[in-house]
Amino acid sequence: MTGSPASSAAPRPWQSQPDKEGHFGSFGGRYVPETLMPALAELSAAYAEAKEDGRFQDELSELLRDFAGRETPLYEARNMSQRLGQARIFLKREDLAHTGAHKINNVLGQVLLAKRMGKTRIIAETGAGQHGVATATGAALMGMQCLIHMGTLDIERQAVNVERMRMLGAEVAPVEAGSCSLKDAVNAAIRDWVTNVADTHYIIGSVVGPHPYPMMVRDFQAVIGHEARRQILERAGRLPDLLVACVGAGSNAIGLFHPFLDDEVRMLGVEAAGHGLDSGEHSASLVAGRPGVFQGASLYLLQDVQGQVHEAHSVAAGLDYPGVGPEHSLLKDLERVSYTAVEDGQALKAFVRLTREEGIIPALESAHALAALEDIVPGLPADSIVVVCLSGRGDKDLAQVMARMEDAS
Ligand SMILES: *Cc1c(COP(=O)(O)O)cnc(C)c1O
């Protein structure tokens, strides 16, 4: 672990907040057109104020408790623990949060902030539709107008989530440009925000984008780690040895990890190796990417030799993203967190295994974290404690998994 050069009282490098421009080491920042700067400055100022305001924090806590169903349980997966040996494995049950995943934690924080800023309109972009559904849910709760930008290809592929968004009162705006998917929806959302910033807040769904989003989304998701820390101390009487979470753009993982960064706790982020790291069809930005600039920030990114952004692939739609948040990028370089990647097939097996073994159907995204345990846990010292973020539930993935199982049989 990187020691502090000055004295033991000096802050450790990962402990510090990003600087005023949002840099995590050489990552993060604000690589955006001049026209976006005033909106980002306004958002930064409003967030800094809200963060220090007890009334804002109380209101958010109440929503997280009564609306989202927090705190989520920390469940000891005894059947899995017994099979793998060596460790007590605990699952942080974000699948039990309202709308079925951790995304609601961030959305509730941001809609509350938008209301405080006097905004009346919420926009977001979505690929798989999960962030769109969470955003439409938050907007309905706050009585705000809501527009979700979504590529026409994704609208076709994710019909059920499009229906959910529309039922919640959101408008889903088809984006017919480029590859008609997430990247193009992001561009449409940014244009919308620049044009309508007076009444509109743009909710980014993970720890990416220009400052202050990576910091702000991390803070809102850190509720996962704060709860888990308290729960494991109560249950096991000590801190865990290892934390494990899947990494798409990185929000559920940083949410679990961040409150433990100063502790002697190992951490493992699990990316999607898709069809295999050698196939070129994967989403392993940290394991197989290089630093670059993408959607407003410097971060680890999948790119070809010319620096062109490379299409990502994963069986899990929520991991199918070519970049990863700037704070993870720094934590990787500091070797404070380890990162690995598991393939589609391993994740599918882990999906079925948890369902049969514990009676919990995990999201395919979360199944990547579970798959990583198979190799790691048997090699741990006896009586280790492992906490895994079960980022979401897998009902959304059933059709896809069943089709794959039929293919395989
Ligand atoms: C969106 C999503 C993810 C990936 O996003 P992160 O920002 O990396 O957490 C993981 N799991 C589930 C269930 C999701 O919906």
Side-chain angles (χ1 to χ4, degrees), residues 64-93:
L64 288 170
R65 185 188 68 210
D66 301 338
F67 185 74
R70 304 206 72 89
E71 60 182 39
T72 59
L74 186 70
Y75 167 73
E76 182 165 5
R78 291 200 168 83
N79 297 331
M80 187 186 0
S81 301
Q82 194 164 32
R83 178 174 56 81
L84 290 174
Q86 300 305 97
R88 293 173 72 184
I89 300 167
F90 293 84
L91 306 180
K92 182 59 175 161
R93 298 289 308 275

PDB file of all heavy atoms in Angstrom, residues 64-93:
ATOM      1  N   LEU A  64     -34.687   7.838   1.920  1.00  0.00           N
ATOM      2  CA  LEU A  64     -33.965   6.569   1.762  1.00  0.00           C
ATOM      3  C   LEU A  64     -34.612   5.489   2.630  1.00  0.00           C
ATOM      4  O   LEU A  64     -34.730   4.336   2.225  1.00  0.00           O
ATOM      5  CB  LEU A  64     -32.488   6.743   2.136  1.00  0.00           C
ATOM      6  CG  LEU A  64     -31.641   7.543   1.141  1.00  0.00           C
ATOM      7  CD1 LEU A  64     -30.268   7.861   1.730  1.00  0.00           C
ATOM      8  CD2 LEU A  64     -31.476   6.797  -0.185  1.00  0.00           C
ATOM      9  N   ARG A  65     -35.060   5.887   3.797  1.00  0.00           N
ATOM     10  CA  ARG A  65     -35.670   4.916   4.719  1.00  0.00           C
ATOM     11  C   ARG A  65     -37.082   4.522   4.276  1.00  0.00           C
ATOM     12  O   ARG A  65     -37.379   3.348   4.084  1.00  0.00           O
ATOM     13  CB  ARG A  65     -35.704   5.520   6.129  1.00  0.00           C
ATOM     14  CG  ARG A  65     -36.201   4.548   7.203  1.00  0.00           C
ATOM     15  CD  ARG A  65     -36.403   5.271   8.526  1.00  0.00           C
ATOM     16  NE  ARG A  65     -37.522   6.201   8.438  1.00  0.00           N
ATOM     17  CZ  ARG A  65     -37.616   7.345   9.132  1.00  0.00           C
ATOM     18  NH1 ARG A  65     -36.658   7.717   9.952  1.00  0.00           N
ATOM     19  NH2 ARG A  65     -38.669   8.120   8.981  1.00  0.00           N
ATOM     20  N   ASP A  66     -37.938   5.517   4.083  1.00  0.00           N
ATOM     21  CA  ASP A  66     -39.364   5.224   3.898  1.00  0.00           C
ATOM     22  C   ASP A  66     -39.748   4.967   2.446  1.00  0.00           C
ATOM     23  O   ASP A  66     -40.720   4.279   2.178  1.00  0.00           O
ATOM     24  CB  ASP A  66     -40.219   6.385   4.428  1.00  0.00           C
ATOM     25  CG  ASP A  66     -39.960   6.636   5.897  1.00  0.00           C
ATOM     26  OD1 ASP A  66     -39.481   5.699   6.576  1.00  0.00           O
ATOM     27  OD2 ASP A  66     -40.213   7.757   6.367  1.00  0.00           O
ATOM     28  N   PHE A  67     -39.009   5.554   1.538  1.00  0.00           N
ATOM     29  CA  PHE A  67     -39.357   5.393   0.122  1.00  0.00           C
ATOM     30  C   PHE A  67     -38.528   4.283  -0.522  1.00  0.00           C
ATOM     31  O   PHE A  67     -39.056   3.439  -1.235  1.00  0.00           O
ATOM     32  CB  PHE A  67     -39.150   6.721  -0.622  1.00  0.00           C
ATOM     33  CG  PHE A  67     -39.602   6.686  -2.062  1.00  0.00           C
ATOM     34  CD1 PHE A  67     -40.959   6.700  -2.390  1.00  0.00           C
ATOM     35  CD2 PHE A  67     -38.676   6.639  -3.090  1.00  0.00           C
ATOM     36  CE1 PHE A  67     -41.381   6.657  -3.711  1.00  0.00           C
ATOM     37  CE2 PHE A  67     -39.087   6.586  -4.421  1.00  0.00           C
ATOM     38  CZ  PHE A  67     -40.448   6.600  -4.732  1.00  0.00           C
ATOM     39  N   ALA A  68     -37.223   4.297  -0.252  1.00  0.00           N
ATOM     40  CA  ALA A  68     -36.334   3.317  -0.899  1.00  0.00           C
ATOM     41  C   ALA A  68     -36.205   2.028  -0.097  1.00  0.00           C
ATOM     42  O   ALA A  68     -35.735   1.022  -0.620  1.00  0.00           O
ATOM     43  CB  ALA A  68     -34.955   3.926  -1.134  1.00  0.00           C
ATOM     44  N   GLY A  69     -36.608   2.062   1.192  1.00  0.00           N
ATOM     45  CA  GLY A  69     -36.535   0.836   1.993  1.00  0.00           C
ATOM     46  C   GLY A  69     -35.204   0.587   2.671  1.00  0.00           C
ATOM     47  O   GLY A  69     -34.860  -0.548   2.974  1.00  0.00           O
ATOM     48  N   ARG A  70     -34.417   1.640   2.939  1.00  0.00           N
ATOM     49  CA  ARG A  70     -33.159   1.453   3.634  1.00  0.00           C
ATOM     50  C   ARG A  70     -33.407   1.447   5.141  1.00  0.00           C
ATOM     51  O   ARG A  70     -34.386   2.030   5.581  1.00  0.00           O
ATOM     52  CB  ARG A  70     -32.179   2.598   3.287  1.00  0.00           C
ATOM     53  CG  ARG A  70     -31.946   2.742   1.780  1.00  0.00           C
ATOM     54  CD  ARG A  70     -30.609   3.368   1.523  1.00  0.00           C
ATOM     55  NE  ARG A  70     -29.558   2.424   1.817  1.00  0.00           N
ATOM     56  CZ  ARG A  70     -29.055   1.553   0.930  1.00  0.00           C
ATOM     57  NH1 ARG A  70     -29.479   1.541  -0.292  1.00  0.00           N
ATOM     58  NH2 ARG A  70     -28.118   0.710   1.283  1.00  0.00           N
ATOM     59  N   GLU A  71     -32.488   0.806   5.982  1.00  0.00           N
ATOM     60  CA  GLU A  71     -31.287   0.277   5.417  1.00  0.00           C
ATOM     61  C   GLU A  71     -31.572  -1.081   4.786  1.00  0.00           C
ATOM     62  O   GLU A  71     -32.464  -1.803   5.240  1.00  0.00           O
ATOM     63  CB  GLU A  71     -30.179   0.155   6.479  1.00  0.00           C
ATOM     64  CG  GLU A  71     -30.538  -0.745   7.648  1.00  0.00           C
ATOM     65  CD  GLU A  71     -29.417  -0.787   8.693  1.00  0.00           C
ATOM     66  OE1 GLU A  71     -28.778   0.225   8.976  1.00  0.00           O
ATOM     67  OE2 GLU A  71     -29.194  -1.884   9.216  1.00  0.00           O
ATOM     68  N   THR A  72     -30.777  -1.442   3.803  1.00  0.00           N
ATOM     69  CA  THR A  72     -30.926  -2.760   3.202  1.00  0.00           C
ATOM     70  C   THR A  72     -30.215  -3.773   4.098  1.00  0.00           C
ATOM     71  O   THR A  72     -29.231  -3.441   4.755  1.00  0.00           O
ATOM     72  CB  THR A  72     -30.310  -2.796   1.794  1.00  0.00           C
ATOM     73  OG1 THR A  72     -28.926  -2.460   1.881  1.00  0.00           O
ATOM     74  CG2 THR A  72     -31.028  -1.824   0.850  1.00  0.00           C
ATOM     75  N   PRO A  73     -30.721  -5.014   4.122  1.00  0.00           N
ATOM     76  CA  PRO A  73     -30.105  -6.012   5.009  1.00  0.00           C
ATOM     77  C   PRO A  73     -28.693  -6.402   4.573  1.00  0.00           C
ATOM     78  O   PRO A  73     -28.339  -6.278   3.399  1.00  0.00           O
ATOM     79  CB  PRO A  73     -31.030  -7.230   4.873  1.00  0.00           C
ATOM     80  CG  PRO A  73     -32.266  -6.758   4.196  1.00  0.00           C
ATOM     81  CD  PRO A  73     -31.888  -5.543   3.404  1.00  0.00           C
ATOM     82  N   LEU A  74     -27.929  -6.867   5.560  1.00  0.00           N
ATOM     83  CA  LEU A  74     -26.665  -7.548   5.280  1.00  0.00           C
ATOM     84  C   LEU A  74     -26.928  -9.017   5.569  1.00  0.00           C
ATOM     85  O   LEU A  74     -27.105  -9.420   6.712  1.00  0.00           O
ATOM     86  CB  LEU A  74     -25.550  -7.011   6.182  1.00  0.00           C
ATOM     87  CG  LEU A  74     -24.152  -7.543   5.868  1.00  0.00           C
ATOM     88  CD1 LEU A  74     -23.647  -6.988   4.548  1.00  0.00           C
ATOM     89  CD2 LEU A  74     -23.175  -7.167   6.985  1.00  0.00           C
ATOM     90  N   TYR A  75     -26.997  -9.819   4.516  1.00  0.00           N
ATOM     91  CA  TYR A  75     -27.443 -11.208   4.636  1.00  0.00           C
ATOM     92  C   TYR A  75     -26.256 -12.153   4.607  1.00  0.00           C
ATOM     93  O   TYR A  75     -25.413 -12.073   3.713  1.00  0.00           O
ATOM     94  CB  TYR A  75     -28.393 -11.523   3.473  1.00  0.00           C
ATOM     95  CG  TYR A  75     -28.673 -12.993   3.291  1.00  0.00           C
ATOM     96  CD1 TYR A  75     -29.489 -13.674   4.191  1.00  0.00           C
ATOM     97  CD2 TYR A  75     -28.108 -13.702   2.238  1.00  0.00           C
ATOM     98  CE1 TYR A  75     -29.739 -15.030   4.043  1.00  0.00           C
ATOM     99  CE2 TYR A  75     -28.346 -15.061   2.072  1.00  0.00           C
ATOM    100  CZ  TYR A  75     -29.160 -15.719   2.988  1.00  0.00           C
ATOM    101  OH  TYR A  75     -29.393 -17.060   2.828  1.00  0.00           O
ATOM    102  N   GLU A  76     -26.175 -13.027   5.591  1.00  0.00           N
ATOM    103  CA  GLU A  76     -25.090 -14.018   5.593  1.00  0.00           C
ATOM    104  C   GLU A  76     -25.492 -15.208   4.724  1.00  0.00           C
ATOM    105  O   GLU A  76     -26.445 -15.929   5.037  1.00  0.00           O
ATOM    106  CB  GLU A  76     -24.777 -14.483   7.017  1.00  0.00           C
ATOM    107  CG  GLU A  76     -23.612 -15.467   7.027  1.00  0.00           C
ATOM    108  CD  GLU A  76     -23.022 -15.694   8.419  1.00  0.00           C
ATOM    109  OE1 GLU A  76     -23.569 -15.154   9.409  1.00  0.00           O
ATOM    110  OE2 GLU A  76     -22.006 -16.418   8.499  1.00  0.00           O
ATOM    111  N   ALA A  77     -24.784 -15.375   3.619  1.00  0.00           N
ATOM    112  CA  ALA A  77     -25.093 -16.448   2.666  1.00  0.00           C
ATOM    113  C   ALA A  77     -24.429 -17.732   3.144  1.00  0.00           C
ATOM    114  O   ALA A  77     -23.322 -18.075   2.727  1.00  0.00           O
ATOM    115  CB  ALA A  77     -24.618 -16.057   1.277  1.00  0.00           C
ATOM    116  N   ARG A  78     -25.111 -18.458   4.016  1.00  0.00           N
ATOM    117  CA  ARG A  78     -24.489 -19.610   4.699  1.00  0.00           C
ATOM    118  C   ARG A  78     -24.255 -20.781   3.759  1.00  0.00           C
ATOM    119  O   ARG A  78     -23.264 -21.500   3.894  1.00  0.00           O
ATOM    120  CB  ARG A  78     -25.359 -20.045   5.878  1.00  0.00           C
ATOM    121  CG  ARG A  78     -25.367 -19.023   7.010  1.00  0.00           C
ATOM    122  CD  ARG A  78     -25.803 -19.646   8.332  1.00  0.00           C
ATOM    123  NE  ARG A  78     -25.523 -18.734   9.443  1.00  0.00           N
ATOM    124  CZ  ARG A  78     -26.319 -17.736   9.807  1.00  0.00           C
ATOM    125  NH1 ARG A  78     -27.446 -17.502   9.153  1.00  0.00           N
ATOM    126  NH2 ARG A  78     -25.994 -16.958  10.818  1.00  0.00           N
ATOM    127  N   ASN A  79     -25.171 -20.995   2.822  1.00  0.00           N
ATOM    128  CA  ASN A  79     -25.002 -22.137   1.917  1.00  0.00           C
ATOM    129  C   ASN A  79     -23.778 -21.942   1.027  1.00  0.00           C
ATOM    130  O   ASN A  79     -22.977 -22.855   0.837  1.00  0.00           O
ATOM    131  CB  ASN A  79     -26.255 -22.327   1.053  1.00  0.00           C
ATOM    132  CG  ASN A  79     -27.466 -22.655   1.904  1.00  0.00           C
ATOM    133  OD1 ASN A  79     -27.339 -23.244   2.986  1.00  0.00           O
ATOM    134  ND2 ASN A  79     -28.648 -22.260   1.448  1.00  0.00           N
ATOM    135  N   MET A  80     -23.656 -20.736   0.502  1.00  0.00           N
ATOM    136  CA  MET A  80     -22.504 -20.441  -0.347  1.00  0.00           C
ATOM    137  C   MET A  80     -21.223 -20.488   0.486  1.00  0.00           C
ATOM    138  O   MET A  80     -20.194 -21.024   0.051  1.00  0.00           O
ATOM    139  CB  MET A  80     -22.662 -19.061  -0.991  1.00  0.00           C
ATOM    140  CG  MET A  80     -21.583 -18.801  -2.009  1.00  0.00           C
ATOM    141  SD  MET A  80     -21.497 -17.161  -2.773  1.00  0.00           S
ATOM    142  CE  MET A  80     -22.791 -16.256  -2.081  1.00  0.00           C
ATOM    143  N   SER A  81     -21.265 -19.930   1.691  1.00  0.00           N
ATOM    144  CA  SER A  81     -20.083 -19.906   2.563  1.00  0.00           C
ATOM    145  C   SER A  81     -19.607 -21.319   2.845  1.00  0.00           C
ATOM    146  O   SER A  81     -18.405 -21.619   2.795  1.00  0.00           O
ATOM    147  CB  SER A  81     -20.404 -19.210   3.889  1.00  0.00           C
ATOM    148  OG  SER A  81     -20.831 -17.893   3.671  1.00  0.00           O
ATOM    149  N   GLN A  82     -20.578 -22.198   3.121  1.00  0.00           N
ATOM    150  CA  GLN A  82     -20.224 -23.571   3.455  1.00  0.00           C
ATOM    151  C   GLN A  82     -19.583 -24.279   2.255  1.00  0.00           C
ATOM    152  O   GLN A  82     -18.585 -24.970   2.396  1.00  0.00           O
ATOM    153  CB  GLN A  82     -21.481 -24.314   3.883  1.00  0.00           C
ATOM    154  CG  GLN A  82     -21.185 -25.618   4.558  1.00  0.00           C
ATOM    155  CD  GLN A  82     -22.424 -26.111   5.306  1.00  0.00           C
ATOM    156  OE1 GLN A  82     -23.559 -25.867   4.884  1.00  0.00           O
ATOM    157  NE2 GLN A  82     -22.207 -26.796   6.411  1.00  0.00           N
ATOM    158  N   ARG A  83     -20.157 -24.057   1.070  1.00  0.00           N
ATOM    159  CA  ARG A  83     -19.623 -24.721  -0.120  1.00  0.00           C
ATOM    160  C   ARG A  83     -18.198 -24.254  -0.433  1.00  0.00           C
ATOM    161  O   ARG A  83     -17.331 -25.057  -0.752  1.00  0.00           O
ATOM    162  CB  ARG A  83     -20.527 -24.473  -1.330  1.00  0.00           C
ATOM    163  CG  ARG A  83     -19.998 -25.115  -2.623  1.00  0.00           C
ATOM    164  CD  ARG A  83     -20.993 -24.971  -3.770  1.00  0.00           C
ATOM    165  NE  ARG A  83     -21.357 -23.588  -4.029  1.00  0.00           N
ATOM    166  CZ  ARG A  83     -20.623 -22.731  -4.742  1.00  0.00           C
ATOM    167  NH1 ARG A  83     -19.482 -23.110  -5.259  1.00  0.00           N
ATOM    168  NH2 ARG A  83     -21.030 -21.487  -4.914  1.00  0.00           N
ATOM    169  N   LEU A  84     -17.960 -22.939  -0.334  1.00  0.00           N
ATOM    170  CA  LEU A  84     -16.642 -22.407  -0.713  1.00  0.00           C
ATOM    171  C   LEU A  84     -15.612 -22.568   0.401  1.00  0.00           C
ATOM    172  O   LEU A  84     -14.406 -22.559   0.146  1.00  0.00           O
ATOM    173  CB  LEU A  84     -16.760 -20.937  -1.121  1.00  0.00           C
ATOM    174  CG  LEU A  84     -17.497 -20.686  -2.449  1.00  0.00           C
ATOM    175  CD1 LEU A  84     -17.686 -19.193  -2.682  1.00  0.00           C
ATOM    176  CD2 LEU A  84     -16.751 -21.311  -3.615  1.00  0.00           C
ATOM    177  N   GLY A  85     -16.079 -22.692   1.657  1.00  0.00           N
ATOM    178  CA  GLY A  85     -15.168 -22.833   2.794  1.00  0.00           C
ATOM    179  C   GLY A  85     -14.420 -21.548   3.090  1.00  0.00           C
ATOM    180  O   GLY A  85     -14.566 -20.553   2.369  1.00  0.00           O
ATOM    181  N   GLN A  86     -13.676 -21.511   4.159  1.00  0.00           N
ATOM    182  CA  GLN A  86     -12.734 -20.439   4.504  1.00  0.00           C
ATOM    183  C   GLN A  86     -13.354 -19.130   4.969  1.00  0.00           C
ATOM    184  O   GLN A  86     -12.752 -18.414   5.743  1.00  0.00           O
ATOM    185  CB  GLN A  86     -11.781 -20.122   3.332  1.00  0.00           C
ATOM    186  CG  GLN A  86     -10.924 -21.274   2.859  1.00  0.00           C
ATOM    187  CD  GLN A  86     -10.121 -21.883   3.969  1.00  0.00           C
ATOM    188  OE1 GLN A  86     -10.535 -22.892   4.531  1.00  0.00           O
ATOM    189  NE2 GLN A  86      -8.999 -21.293   4.321  1.00  0.00           N
ATOM    190  N   ALA A  87     -14.546 -18.759   4.474  1.00  0.00           N
ATOM    191  CA  ALA A  87     -15.033 -17.409   4.781  1.00  0.00           C
ATOM    192  C   ALA A  87     -16.519 -17.389   5.108  1.00  0.00           C
ATOM    193  O   ALA A  87     -17.285 -18.218   4.620  1.00  0.00           O
ATOM    194  CB  ALA A  87     -14.772 -16.479   3.602  1.00  0.00           C
ATOM    195  N   ARG A  88     -16.872 -16.438   5.942  1.00  0.00           N
ATOM    196  CA  ARG A  88     -18.285 -16.078   6.065  1.00  0.00           C
ATOM    197  C   ARG A  88     -18.553 -15.017   5.007  1.00  0.00           C
ATOM    198  O   ARG A  88     -17.920 -13.967   4.999  1.00  0.00           O
ATOM    199  CB  ARG A  88     -18.570 -15.503   7.452  1.00  0.00           C
ATOM    200  CG  ARG A  88     -18.416 -16.503   8.579  1.00  0.00           C
ATOM    201  CD  ARG A  88     -18.543 -15.805   9.933  1.00  0.00           C
ATOM    202  NE  ARG A  88     -19.929 -15.396  10.202  1.00  0.00           N
ATOM    203  CZ  ARG A  88     -20.284 -14.701  11.293  1.00  0.00           C
ATOM    204  NH1 ARG A  88     -19.375 -14.339  12.183  1.00  0.00           N
ATOM    205  NH2 ARG A  88     -21.555 -14.368  11.482  1.00  0.00           N
ATOM    206  N   ILE A  89     -19.507 -15.300   4.113  1.00  0.00           N
ATOM    207  CA  ILE A  89     -19.811 -14.378   3.016  1.00  0.00           C
ATOM    208  C   ILE A  89     -21.127 -13.663   3.320  1.00  0.00           C
ATOM    209  O   ILE A  89     -22.152 -14.310   3.564  1.00  0.00           O
ATOM    210  CB  ILE A  89     -19.920 -15.136   1.676  1.00  0.00           C
ATOM    211  CG1 ILE A  89     -18.590 -15.845   1.377  1.00  0.00           C
ATOM    212  CG2 ILE A  89     -20.290 -14.174   0.551  1.00  0.00           C
ATOM    213  CD1 ILE A  89     -18.696 -16.853   0.249  1.00  0.00           C
ATOM    214  N   PHE A  90     -21.058 -12.345   3.308  1.00  0.00           N
ATOM    215  CA  PHE A  90     -22.249 -11.522   3.555  1.00  0.00           C
ATOM    216  C   PHE A  90     -22.623 -10.768   2.277  1.00  0.00           C
ATOM    217  O   PHE A  90     -21.746 -10.229   1.599  1.00  0.00           O
ATOM    218  CB  PHE A  90     -21.985 -10.508   4.667  1.00  0.00           C
ATOM    219  CG  PHE A  90     -21.789 -11.124   6.027  1.00  0.00           C
ATOM    220  CD1 PHE A  90     -20.543 -11.607   6.409  1.00  0.00           C
ATOM    221  CD2 PHE A  90     -22.846 -11.213   6.926  1.00  0.00           C
ATOM    222  CE1 PHE A  90     -20.353 -12.178   7.670  1.00  0.00           C
ATOM    223  CE2 PHE A  90     -22.671 -11.772   8.192  1.00  0.00           C
ATOM    224  CZ  PHE A  90     -21.416 -12.256   8.562  1.00  0.00           C
ATOM    225  N   LEU A  91     -23.915 -10.731   1.982  1.00  0.00           N
ATOM    226  CA  LEU A  91     -24.394  -9.998   0.807  1.00  0.00           C
ATOM    227  C   LEU A  91     -25.095  -8.721   1.252  1.00  0.00           C
ATOM    228  O   LEU A  91     -26.038  -8.773   2.052  1.00  0.00           O
ATOM    229  CB  LEU A  91     -25.378 -10.859   0.004  1.00  0.00           C
ATOM    230  CG  LEU A  91     -24.887 -12.248  -0.424  1.00  0.00           C
ATOM    231  CD1 LEU A  91     -25.989 -12.970  -1.205  1.00  0.00           C
ATOM    232  CD2 LEU A  91     -23.607 -12.137  -1.255  1.00  0.00           C
ATOM    233  N   LYS A  92     -24.636  -7.591   0.722  1.00  0.00           N
ATOM    234  CA  LYS A  92     -25.318  -6.323   0.995  1.00  0.00           C
ATOM    235  C   LYS A  92     -26.452  -6.225  -0.014  1.00  0.00           C
ATOM    236  O   LYS A  92     -26.226  -6.106  -1.215  1.00  0.00           O
ATOM    237  CB  LYS A  92     -24.318  -5.159   0.860  1.00  0.00           C
ATOM    238  CG  LYS A  92     -24.917  -3.789   1.161  1.00  0.00           C
ATOM    239  CD  LYS A  92     -25.491  -3.675   2.553  1.00  0.00           C
ATOM    240  CE  LYS A  92     -25.956  -2.237   2.836  1.00  0.00           C
ATOM    241  NZ  LYS A  92     -26.903  -2.199   3.977  1.00  0.00           N
ATOM    242  N   ARG A  93     -27.690  -6.240   0.490  1.00  0.00           N
ATOM    243  CA  ARG A  93     -28.859  -6.512  -0.342  1.00  0.00           C
ATOM    244  C   ARG A  93     -29.445  -5.272  -1.023  1.00  0.00           C
ATOM    245  O   ARG A  93     -30.598  -4.902  -0.782  1.00  0.00           O
ATOM    246  CB  ARG A  93     -29.923  -7.211   0.506  1.00  0.00           C
ATOM    247  CG  ARG A  93     -29.497  -8.571   1.087  1.00  0.00           C
ATOM    248  CD  ARG A  93     -29.393  -9.662   0.040  1.00  0.00           C
ATOM    249  NE  ARG A  93     -30.574  -9.792  -0.790  1.00  0.00           N
ATOM    250  CZ  ARG A  93     -31.660 -10.518  -0.477  1.00  0.00           C
ATOM    251  NH1 ARG A  93     -31.692 -11.202   0.640  1.00  0.00           N
ATOM    252  NH2 ARG A  93     -32.687 -10.593  -1.301  1.00  0.00           N
TER     253      ARG A  93
END
